[in-house]
Amino acid sequence: MGSFYYSLFLHYRLSAIGRKIYVIGRTAMLRCDTWTGTVVPLQGPVFSRKKFAVAVVGGKIYVAGGCVAVEEYDPVRNTWRVVAHAPRKRYGCVGASVDGVFYIIGGLKLGGASGNEMLVARGSRASDAAHVYASSMDLYDAVNGVWLRSRSVPGGGCVVAACAAAGEIYILSSHAVELSFWKFNGSRKSNGFGEWCRIKSPPLPAQVRLDSTVRFSCVGIGEKVMLVQVNGCIDDLLRRSGRVERGVKEGLVLVYDCVAGEWSRAADLPEVIRRSACVCVEC
């Protein structure tokens, strides 16, 4: 059964293999054994990077983003190696894995004009280039060591959260005036591989815009997607849930049942934990 973990989110990414959690930084890594509670420092990726994507494929950890190199970590040999060069140099991206494929999703162009690249006037070349990255995902076939055809979220938008669950990739996308929720068929043995389907959006106020003030992280656990609010204030939604106080800024947890196609409310994130990332550990 999958267990759900929260952890502090700075410039690190989390990955889980068996009972061990790997916390990967720009140049270093920690391995935490969830049974014994021991923490061991390890050598990090070959290339220094930040705001990168990470996922486990076939018992190995893959990282991409923050630089052009895609790296693989073998936990048995405790070694890193470069396995490919990304078709797009992006950062601020999200990683996920389904059926032997490493998905590098969303983010911005590495080496862009500024961190406000998405704010460039609509219709300009810079704005168009930014949206190509923010609404797309690159697919690396880790089994065969080749890149598959890149895909884009229908209708564009900016990917703000993504994860894998039940053999599919789930993506929350912001279109400035609305949010959309999508699933991408990641089962390569099915006839529907590569197909997109728009599904029921999370129950958030229509006026919520996911920018620098409201952010989410999500993780797949079995046949469910956990969507966790990690930053920002959504008082209107909290009041609709029967809470009258203002100033509660973070901690909302929503659960999407991939089979039933419905959202439900889970317990809020504890007061002591904020700006978190999440990871699922099979145990």
Side-chain angles (χ1 to χ4, degrees), residues 213-264:
T213 60
V214 179
R215 295 180 182 177
F216 283 86
S217 182
C218 71
V219 62
I221 304 179
E223 295 181 335
K224 295 184 178 180
V225 173
M226 308 286 290
L227 185 63
V228 184
Q229 181 201 2
V230 296
N231 191 44
C233 182
I234 50 175
D235 286 314
D236 289 337
L237 178 60
L238 295 173
R239 285 199 300 276
R240 292 181 188 182
S241 300
R243 299 171 66 167
V244 296
E245 70 272 20
R246 296 189 62 84
V248 180
K249 294 184 177 300
E250 302 156 1
L252 179 72
V253 180
L254 299 172
V255 182
Y256 179 77
D257 188 317
C258 304
V259 177
E262 295 294 335
W263 287 93
S264 61

Side-chain angles (χ1 to χ4, degrees), residues 96-98 103 105 137 162-165 167-171 182-186 196:
S97 155
V98 171
Y103 291 81
I105 310 166
M137 59 186 186
C163 70
E168 296 178 293
I169 300 295
Y170 287 84
I171 290 178
W182 300 84
K183 65 178 179 179
F184 175 88
N185 189 337
W196 290 94

Side-chain angles (χ1 to χ4, degrees), residues 12-28:
Y12 304 96
R13 291 295 185 267
L14 299 174
S15 189
I17 298 179
R19 70 181 192 223
K20 297 180 175 65
I21 296 177
Y22 292 81
V23 184
I24 307 168
R26 297 178 64 173
T27 58

Side-chain angles (χ1 to χ4, degrees), residues 160-179:
V160 293
C163 70
E168 296 178 293
I169 300 295
Y170 287 84
I171 290 178
L172 180 67
S173 183
S174 172
H175 303 266
V177 295
E178 67 171 345
L179 297 174

Side-chain angles (χ1 to χ4, degrees), residues 4 11 14 18 24 32 43 67 92 103 115 124 127 147-148 169 186 189 244 251:
F4 189 34
H11 288 298
L14 299 174
I24 307 168
C32 175
Q43 179 65 42
C67 70
Y103 291 81
S124 70
S127 178
W147 290 96
L148 305 180
I169 300 295
K189 295 181 181 179
V244 296

Side-chain angles (χ1 to χ4, degrees), residues 131-154:
H131 278 83
V132 167
Y133 286 75
S135 64
S136 69
M137 59 186 186
D138 295 323
L139 287 66
Y140 178 68
D141 181 344
V143 177
N144 299 304
V146 297
W147 290 96
L148 305 180
R149 181 170 63 89
S150 297
R151 310 299 174 104
S152 295
V153 180

